[in-house]
Amino acid sequence: MKKKTFVIADPEFLSRQGLKAMISSHPLYEVIGEAKRHEDLERILQNMTPDLVIIDYNHTGYFGKETISMISELRPTTNVVVVSDDDDKRSIYEVLERGISNYVTKKCEKHEIQMAIDSALKDKKFFCSKILDVIVNKSFGNNQKDNSIELLTDREKDVLSLFASGKMTKEISMELHVSIHTVYTHRKNIMKKLKINSPVELVMFAVNNGLVVI
């Protein structure tokens, strides 16, 4: 079986070595690059297409939120896991809005970091409890349940619940016995009805309205 390839982007030597040791202990994982700053990572991605980049963007002068966008622009098929010590809620949410679906903190245990990696490689989502708090507490005026849930049909609620639980489009179509095109149509209609523009907002809405427990 082909190995999954990783690039670690973190200016801190001990952080890189710790992640590298954890990743290398898996027989099907291989670290193919390390980056200390934005320019190093950009150069690596111009020459390689890793399966996964693990990054701590919260280092002024080394990495930043623009680095997250750069990864998706250069290598859209490469998944990203954030392992950071950022404690600013607004900053964290800005990163989530850039499409990050797997985010843990540096205070997390090894098994949580491993779960984030495994989820990313499967195109699924994983957030540690701190990041889930940021998602759930983010509000557009208040933290009460949004009455716009009533705008959704029962089938749209099913689709939203499965999506927020981390299911892929193909898995949702199989579970609901509908075509992939139908799932895409439901998701498009859900976002239009709720006036939501990002996957993170969809997850937050589902959690706030009791459609999923993460």
Side-chain angles (χ1 to χ4, degrees):
M1 185 179 294
K2 184 180 179 182
K3 287 188 175 183
K4 297 293 185 180
T5 55
F6 293 70
V7 170
I8 301 172
D10 193 313
E12 298 176 351
F13 172 78
L14 288 179
S15 292
R16 293 198 311 275
Q17 291 305 302
L19 287 168
K20 186 176 181 179
M22 187 186 77
I23 293 166
S24 299
S25 67
H26 193 294
L28 294 177
Y29 291 173
E30 180 181 6
V31 176
I32 60 172
E34 297 180 42
K36 297 180 182 179
R37 53 179 52 85
H38 179 101
E39 293 77 16
D40 298 335
L41 180 58
E42 185 173 14
R43 185 164 50 252
I44 290 172
L45 295 180
Q46 286 172 342
N47 294 285
M48 300 178 183
T49 306
D51 293 297
L52 185 67
V53 171
I54 301 178
I55 184 171
D56 183 357
Y57 63 87
N58 190 37
H59 291 276
T60 303
Y62 294 91
F63 297 105
K65 298 180 187 69
E66 69 279 1
T67 308
I68 301 294
S69 299
M70 181 269 290
I71 296 171
S72 61
E73 290 169 3
L74 282 181
R75 297 298 179 195
T77 62
T78 294
N79 288 304
V80 179
V81 168
V82 169
V83 181
S84 179
D85 56 4
D86 190 359
D87 59 2
D88 184 274
K89 291 184 177 180
R90 178 174 294 182
S91 176
I92 292 171
Y93 197 79
E94 288 176 1
V95 171
L96 295 175
E97 285 285 76
R98 292 173 187 253
I100 293 299
S101 297
N102 292 274
Y103 192 135
V104 293
T105 73
K106 288 190 173 179
K107 294 181 181 179
C108 286
E109 298 293 332
K110 177 181 177 181
H111 75 275
E112 289 184 286
I113 298 175
Q114 187 64 61
M115 287 176 70
I117 291 173
D118 292 343
S119 295
L121 292 173
K122 296 175 182 177
D123 292 320
K124 296 188 176 183
K125 309 175 188 65
F126 182 85
F127 303 107
C128 69
S129 58
K130 177 180 177 179
I131 305 306
L132 280 175
D133 286 342
V134 174
I135 294 173
V136 172
N137 291 331
K138 175 67 177 178
S139 174
F140 303 103
N142 59 63
N143 288 324
Q144 301 302 314
K145 287 188 176 183
D146 193 336
N147 289 332
S148 59
I149 186 69
E150 298 173 1
L151 296 173
L152 303 183
T153 65
D154 289 341
R155 180 45 57 95
E156 286 170 343
K157 292 176 185 177
D158 291 338
V159 170
L160 178 54
S161 176
L162 292 170
F163 172 79
S165 299
K167 298 283 187 179
M168 298 174 66
T169 301
K170 184 177 180 180
E171 293 175 309
I172 296 173
S173 71
M174 293 176 65
E175 188 159 336
L176 298 180
H177 305 290
V178 297
S179 69
I180 290 176
H181 174 75
T182 298
V183 175
Y184 278 123
T185 299
H186 281 312
R187 180 176 165 182
K188 181 180 178 180
N189 290 338
I190 291 168
M191 297 182 78
K192 183 178 180 180
K193 287 181 179 181
L194 302 180
K195 297 180 181 179
I196 285 176
N197 298 311
S198 74
V200 171
E201 291 178 29
L202 277 178
V203 173
M204 182 187 71
F205 179 89
V207 172
N208 282 342
N209 285 275
L211 294 179
V212 66
V213 178
I214 307 181

